[in-house]
Amino acid sequence: MPKTTPRPPRLPSWEHGWSPDTSRAPGTRRLWLAGGLAAATVVTCLTAISMDRPATDESSAPVRSEIPTDAGPGLLSFASPSPSATASPHGSSGPTPATPSATAPGAPAPDGGARATASPSAPLSPSSRPAGSGAAHGGSSGASKGSPVRRSVRSVNYPDRYWHVRGGLVKLDPVTSSADRRAATFRLVDGLADRSCYSFATADGGYLRHRSFVLRAERDDGSALYRKDATFCPRPAARSGAVVLESVNYPGRFLRHQDFQLRLDPYQNSDLYRADSAFRLQDGLS
């Protein structure tokens, strides 16, 4: 009887009825599927890249502006801006106080005259200072620089009234007697605190200065405050040949008469204020 070799037991089959193929190396089908998927992915990417690349033609070349950089006025230019166009609009590092305009454009003068267009904050040039105000201030009196000249100050809207020292205060009064004429005449000198401005010296050696914003005649006490209080800077007024006088230590405040009392008030954009603050410097009455 021939001898038989026992055969290894067969692997149990899966529930759906098929059994693994033992003649092939395990996992080869998965490797083929993975390789095919990778190849398909590479082909798809290459196709997409080739389709997205734009065609190089004349339409894709950068457009160069044909506008010359030296185009004249009225033409747009793409040239670099000039240095003046990029300069800072403010020359100082700190804020500057607002300076009111001396006139409202188109508004009539309160006394019927033509309205000036200059700002009261602009200093008078030597050629625009009142005539005869002395060589130090660009006048035509022929005096040497710094020498005082005798001046009286007349109101623009009350032309029969002058600055007049009465009881230590400066009033706007009519001048009728020789004593009144002497009290209404001052020596116009370089400003005690600013030589480009004015100070008004009195016959007794004092000066006109503001204190508590009221103009008065007082003796010089030698202080820096006194020198500033007694210094006033002339600015162009609404009427030709007239000035407004701005305080050197209170910019924006100007001498004006109110109830015929001279005082230092902030600028007001009104015809009355502009008329009350406008004065003419003329030859001394005495």
Side-chain angles (χ1 to χ4, degrees):
M1 186 171 183
K3 186 178 180 178
T4 60
T5 304
R7 304 179 72 177
R10 296 175 63 88
L11 295 174
S13 58
W14 301 96
E15 293 180 357
H16 44 66
W18 62 271
S19 60
D21 186 2
T22 58
S23 64
R24 301 173 63 180
T28 51
R29 179 177 296 177
R30 294 179 181 178
L31 290 175
W32 278 104
L33 290 175
L37 181 60
T41 303
V42 171
V43 172
T44 302
C45 292
L46 292 177
T47 303
I49 292 173
S50 62
M51 293 179 65
D52 290 340
R53 178 176 298 176
T56 303
D57 55 12
E58 294 181 358
S59 62
S60 62
V63 179
R64 179 175 300 176
S65 174
E66 298 298 332
I67 300 177
T69 59
D70 58 346
L75 297 179
L76 294 177
S77 174
F78 294 94
S80 299
S82 62
S84 61
T86 58
S88 172
H90 300 291
S92 59
S93 59
T96 57
T99 52
S101 172
T103 62
D111 51 359
R115 181 67 72 181
T117 58
S119 167
S121 63
L124 289 175
S125 64
S127 61
S128 62
R129 292 183 184 272
S133 61
H137 301 289
S140 57
S141 65
S144 62
K145 177 175 175 59
S147 61
V149 291
R150 300 172 70 83
R151 288 290 173 263
S152 293
V153 186
R154 183 162 59 99
S155 171
V156 165
N157 57 344
Y158 289 91
D160 61 332
R161 290 176 178 261
Y162 296 80
W163 288 12
H164 175 254
V165 178
R166 177 160 51 93
L169 300 177
V170 182
K171 305 283 188 174
L172 195 66
D173 290 338
V175 175
T176 56
S177 65
S178 58
D180 290 339
R181 288 193 291 272
R182 285 192 299 271
T185 300
F186 311 96
R187 290 183 296 113
L188 189 67
V189 299
D190 292 333
L192 301 181
D194 186 342
R195 290 181 59 83
S196 66
C197 299
Y198 294 156
S199 289
F200 298 86
T202 57
D204 60 358
Y207 292 89
L208 304 185
R209 58 90 57 97
H210 67 83
R211 182 159 56 85
S212 300
F213 300 122
V214 174
L215 191 64
R216 59 193 77 214
E218 291 186 357
R219 299 298 297 268
D220 188 355
D221 60 10
S223 66
L225 177 61
Y226 182 97
R227 291 192 294 273
K228 292 179 180 179
D229 288 350
T231 302
F232 304 94
C233 298
R235 314 296 186 197
R239 287 298 302 271
S240 176
V243 296
V244 293
L245 296 165
E246 184 178 19
S247 170
V248 76
N249 55 344
Y250 285 92
R253 285 180 176 262
F254 298 83
L255 289 175
R256 58 91 58 96
H257 64 83
Q258 192 172 36
D259 296 328
F260 302 120
Q261 167 68 58
L262 270 297
R263 55 182 300 108
L264 196 65
D265 275 357
Y267 177 81
Q268 301 170 25
N269 188 18
S270 68
D271 289 340
L272 178 61
Y273 182 95
R274 285 189 286 266
D276 288 349
S277 60
F279 302 98
R280 285 195 171 92
L281 305 182
Q282 63 179 49
D283 291 339
L285 298 177
S286 65

